[in-house]
C-alpha cells in the first residue's frame, strides 16, 4: 500500500515570495507522483506529474516539483507566487502497475498575502 | 474542461434515509471513481469502475454501493445514511489505467446528514 504525507496543513506566504510545499511518500512498489490543485468550491485539477525520466517536472503556471527517490519526496516549489495561486494543493501517488487508483495526502492550503 | 457533471450539487438528508449521487461524463472514458473529501484526510477512494458493470472497492467502501449500467453514468448509493457520511463527494474519470493517466474531477457534491 502507498501513503502520502503533507506535513504542512497551511502555508501563508507574501505575494512574489518563493514557496515550497512538502510531500513525502511511502510505498513498497514503484509509483507515479502527482500534484493536484483545488481552487475554492471547485474540483481538483492536475498541476503536474512525474512518471519517469527527468526528476524535475514543471507546470505551465510556474510551479515545479522534483522527485527525490532516496528521500521519497516530491516537493512543490514556485519562485514567486501570485494572489491567484491561493488554493489547496494535494500530493498523490499511484502504483505503476495498478488500476490508476490515487492515494492522496491531506492537503496544504496555500494562502498568498497581498 | 472534461465533461463531468455531478448531481445533486448539494443535499441535506436525515440519518437512516437512502441517498444516491450521480456522476455523468461525456468523455467516453472507461474508468470512473468516487472519492470523499474530509478535513484532515484529503481525498479517499470509495469505489471505482473499470467498465460497465465492473466495479471494485476502494479504501473506504463500507456503507456505500455503486452501479454502472452505462459508460457515462456512475452512481454512488448510501443505503442508510449516517452522520459520518457527511462529506464532499467527488467523481473522477480516467481514459485508461496505469501509465500515470490523469484523472479528471467533477465539481463535487456536498452531502450533509443530520
Amino acid at each position: 500500500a502507498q501513503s502520502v504525507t503533507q506535513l504542512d496543513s497551511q502555508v501563508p506566504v507574501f505575494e512574489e515570495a518563493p514557496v515550497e510545499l512538502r510531500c513525502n511518500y511511502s510505498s513498497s512498489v514503484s509509483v507515479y507522483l502527482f500534484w493536484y490543485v483545488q481552487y475554492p468550491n471547485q474540483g481538483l485539477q492536475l498541476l503536474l506529474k512525474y512518471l519517469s525520466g527527468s526528476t524535475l517536472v514543471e507546470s505551465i503556471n510556474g510551479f515545479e516539483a522534483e522527485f527525490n527517490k532516496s528521500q521519497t519526496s516530491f516537493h512543490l516549489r514556485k519562485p514567486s507566487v501570485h494572489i491567484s495561486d491561493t488554493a489547496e494543493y494535494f500530493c498523490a501517488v499511484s502504483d505503476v502497475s495498478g488500476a490508476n487508483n490515487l492515494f492522496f495526502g491531506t492537503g496544504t492550503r496555500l494562502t498568498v498575502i497581498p | 474542461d472534461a465533461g463531468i457533471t455531478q448531481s445533486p450539487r448539494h443535499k441535506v438528508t436525515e440519518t437512516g434515509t437512502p441517498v444516491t449521487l450521480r456522476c455523468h461524463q461525456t468523455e467516453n472514458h472507461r474508468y470512473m471513481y468516487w472519492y470523499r473529501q474530509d478535513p484532515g484526510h484529503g481525498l479517499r477512494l470509495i469505489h471505482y469502475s473499470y467498465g460497465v458493470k465492473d466495479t471494485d472497492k476502494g479504501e473506504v467502501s463500507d456503507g456505500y454501493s455503486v452501479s454502472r449500467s452505462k459508460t457515462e453514468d456512475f452512481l454512488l448509493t448510501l443505503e442508510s445514511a449516517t452522520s459520518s457520511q457527511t462529506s464532499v463527494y467527488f467523481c473522477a474519470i480516467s481514459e485508461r489505467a496505469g501509465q500515470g493517466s490523469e484523472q479528471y474531477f467533477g465539481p463535487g457534491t456536498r452531502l450533509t446528514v443530520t
Side-chain angles (χ1 to χ4, degrees):
Chain A
Q2 297 85 39
S3 67
V4 177
T5 301
Q6 293 179 251
L7 288 175
D8 304 309
S9 59
Q10 298 188 54
V11 174
V13 62
F14 286 104
E15 192 174 14
E16 299 184 2
V19 69
E20 179 181 81
L21 306 183
R22 296 181 293 168
C23 171
N24 288 88
Y25 70 93
S26 174
S27 178
S28 57
V29 298
S30 296
V31 296
Y32 298 126
L33 294 152
F34 306 81
W35 275 100
Y36 279 83
V37 59
Q38 184 179 32
Y39 298 103
N41 299 311
Q42 295 186 26
L44 279 72
Q45 305 171 32
L46 180 67
L47 188 60
L48 47 75
K49 62 182 178 182
Y50 171 78
L51 304 183
S52 64
S54 172
T55 58
L56 185 65
V57 291
E58 298 177 350
S59 72
I60 58 173
N61 57 353
F63 282 94
E64 64 179 31
E66 186 161 19
F67 170 55
N68 187 319
K69 188 174 183 179
S70 63
Q71 297 186 9
T72 60
S73 68
F74 191 53
H75 300 332
L76 182 69
R77 303 184 184 95
K78 189 171 185 179
S80 176
V81 295
H82 302 290
I83 295 292
S84 59
D85 293 324
T86 294
E88 189 147 22
Y89 292 79
F90 292 93
C91 183
V93 302
S94 70
D95 178 354
V96 300
S97 61
N100 211 38
N101 295 345
L102 288 171
F103 293 87
F104 286 88
T106 52
T108 297
R109 183 171 300 278
L110 173 65
T111 301
V112 180
I113 305 164
Chain B
D1 291 344
I4 310 169
T5 56
Q6 293 185 232
S7 58
R9 294 292 314 278
H10 301 271
K11 185 171 183 65
V12 179
T13 191
E14 293 184 349
T15 298
T17 59
V19 176
T20 295
L21 308 183
R22 179 181 184 236
C23 176
H24 178 78
Q25 60 144 329
T26 58
E27 305 297 321
N28 200 37
H29 283 0
R30 178 180 174 185
Y31 295 86
M32 299 185 75
Y33 310 81
W34 275 108
Y35 293 90
R36 60 178 290 174
Q37 183 179 24
D38 304 290
H41 290 278
L43 278 82
R44 292 178 291 174
L45 182 66
I46 305 171
H47 282 279
Y48 66 98
S49 169
Y50 47 97
V52 174
K53 299 190 188 304
D54 292 323
T55 64
D56 205 348
K57 296 178 179 180
E59 183 184 358
V60 290
S61 59
D62 287 349
Y64 302 95
S65 62
V66 291
S67 65
R68 191 170 178 201
S69 59
K70 298 184 292 184
T71 298
E72 58 265 36
D73 290 325
F74 192 32
L75 304 181
L76 176 71
T77 298
L78 291 65
E79 300 290 348
S80 177
T82 67
S83 59
S84 64
Q85 293 176 312
T86 292
S87 186
V88 181
Y89 291 86
F90 287 98
C91 173
I93 65 173
S94 177
E95 190 170 7
R96 57 186 181 275
Q99 304 171 47
S101 183
E102 179 177 354
Q103 290 189 20
Y104 300 91
F105 286 79
T109 294
R110 184 174 296 275
L111 176 67
T112 302
V113 183
T114 61

